């Protein structure tokens, strides 16, 4: 039994954007996309197939009609943009971390003075709650950072900046639904998977596990649905699928029967 998503993605998209109408020059197709109503002429939207009163937004040969995403294609676009938002947020967090490292590297003395002043009080307060700050991973990370050289901290900041840039490029490519963005996202994400597996082997946490599963899901989704690297017919099959789902093609096939 075939199940479908309860949400009509075509209608949902048209509700927040605008209908796309087109008048083909071919009479057989023109008749299938046009009706006359009491309110005037109406043309079927190439996305949601609803009749829209008013003149068409475009006209010309059917082969020149815009290829408008419909149904499953719009759902795929929604999924990719969800990943784009996740990548953008991650990139911003990493960029803030890089900024913090650079600032720390050049203001080490003032931060050291603040820690020397506040650390004993913080240790006492946490000790009253049963928390030993000396065994905290964050404490040891801060301590190691204070003893690291400026060059080391600068390199860490540069590495974080590059990482943030990669995440933001992924976000842009996925949001724009570009083919290069899909390849870039797959390659960039898959390159970090061995590191994430190593971290999970070292210690399993919910944050690490969720991030790992999101990245694996993105890689599998991109390769399978977007037919990357020639899988399932590659780009040619992907483009053929897009065109075959267009309303113009659906009506052309119906007219030829």
């Amino acid at each position: 039994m075939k199940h479908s998503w309860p949400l009509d993605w075509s209608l949902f998209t048209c509700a927040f954007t605008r209908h796309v109408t087109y008048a083909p020059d071919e009479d057989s197709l023109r008749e299938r996309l046009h009706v006359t109503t009491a309110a005037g002429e109406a043309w079927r939207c190439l996305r949601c197939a609803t009749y829209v009163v008013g003149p068409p937004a475009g006209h010309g040969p059917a082969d020149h009609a815009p290829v408008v995403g419909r149904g499953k294609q719009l759902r795929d676009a929604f999924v990719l943009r969800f990943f784009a938002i996740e990548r953008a947020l991650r990139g911003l967090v990493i960029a803030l971390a890089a900024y913090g490292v650079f600032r720390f590297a050049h203001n080490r003395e003032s931060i050291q003075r603040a820690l020397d002043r506040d650390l004993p009080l913080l240790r006492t307060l946490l000790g009253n709650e049963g928390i030993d700050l000396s065994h905290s991973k964050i404490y040891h990370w801060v301590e190691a950072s204070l003893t690291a050289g400026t060059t080391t901290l600068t390199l860490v900041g540069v590495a974080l900046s590059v990482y943030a840039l990669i995440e933001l490029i992924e976000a842009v490519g996925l949001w724009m639904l570009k083919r290069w963005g899909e390849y870039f996202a797959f390659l960039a994400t898959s390159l970090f998977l061995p590191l994430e597996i190593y971290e999970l082997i070292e210690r399993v946490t919910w944050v690490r596990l969720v991030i790992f599963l999101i990245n694996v899901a993105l890689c599998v989704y991109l390769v399978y649905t977007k037919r990357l690297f020639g899988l399932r017919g590659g780009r040619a099959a992907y483009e053929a699928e897009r065109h075959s789902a267009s309303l113009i093609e659906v009506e052309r096939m119906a007219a030829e029967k």
Side-chain angles (χ1 to χ4, degrees):
M1 180 178 178
K2 184 178 180 180
H3 295 275
S4 60
W5 286 57
L7 177 62
D8 188 324
W9 290 95
S10 299
L11 285 173
F12 178 79
T13 304
C14 282
F16 286 92
T17 56
R18 64 175 63 181
H19 293 290
V20 181
T21 54
Y22 187 84
D25 292 341
E26 295 82 353
D27 292 336
S28 59
L29 286 175
R30 193 181 185 92
E31 292 176 359
R32 301 183 71 89
L33 299 178
H34 173 265
V35 294
T36 301
T37 69
E41 66 172 349
W43 294 87
R44 291 180 72 186
C45 173
L46 298 184
R47 181 186 293 120
C48 67
T50 301
Y51 281 100
V52 182
V53 176
H59 61 86
D63 292 339
H64 295 173
V67 179
V68 182
R70 303 177 67 215
K72 176 179 175 293
Q73 297 168 4
L74 296 175
R75 184 197 69 195
D76 291 343
F78 177 86
V79 172
L80 289 184
R81 283 175 172 163
F82 166 81
F83 281 116
I85 292 173
E86 184 270 336
R87 287 302 191 263
L89 292 176
R90 189 189 301 187
L92 291 176
V93 170
I94 297 172
L96 288 174
Y99 171 76
V101 170
F102 282 126
R103 186 170 182 180
F104 173 77
H106 297 89
N107 295 276
R108 188 192 307 257
E109 293 77 10
S110 60
I111 295 175
Q112 179 69 68
R113 287 195 299 269
L115 287 175
D116 291 341
R117 183 184 67 248
D118 299 332
L119 196 57
L121 177 60
L122 184 61
R123 191 190 301 273
T124 301
L125 291 174
L126 293 177
N128 293 335
E129 299 297 327
I131 300 175
D132 186 358
L133 187 61
S134 299
H135 292 86
S136 169
K137 190 172 184 178
I138 296 177
Y139 172 78
H140 289 298
W141 181 83
V142 172
E143 191 177 50
S145 299
L146 289 171
T147 59
T150 301
T151 302
T152 300
L153 291 173
T154 301
L155 290 175
V156 171
V158 170
L160 288 173
S161 299
V162 172
Y163 190 13
L165 181 61
I166 290 174
E167 295 293 314
L168 294 174
I169 292 175
E170 282 188 68
V172 171
L174 292 175
W175 185 267
M176 295 176 65
L177 308 177
K178 296 297 185 180
R179 190 76 174 173
W180 65 262
E182 295 162 1
Y183 273 105
F184 187 89
F186 174 84
L187 293 173
T189 302
S190 60
L191 285 175
F192 287 102
L193 287 180
L195 176 61
E196 293 173 6
I197 293 173
Y198 172 79
E199 290 180 339
L200 283 172
I201 293 174
E202 182 185 38
R203 183 187 176 193
V204 176
T205 66
W206 282 109
V207 173
R208 291 179 180 179
L209 184 59
V210 169
I211 291 176
F212 174 72
L213 291 177
I214 288 176
N215 289 337
V216 170
L218 176 60
C219 289
V220 173
Y221 185 84
L222 286 173
V223 170
Y224 184 79
T225 63
K226 302 303 177 181
R227 305 171 187 260
L228 302 184
F229 305 104
L231 185 69
R232 300 172 60 221
R235 180 165 188 167
Y238 174 71
E239 293 297 335
E241 182 182 46
R242 287 182 64 237
H243 282 80
S244 65
S246 70
L247 185 62
I248 290 286
E249 289 302 316
V250 171
E251 293 300 334
R252 192 204 302 269
M253 293 178 63
E256 292 175 352
K257 290 183 179 179

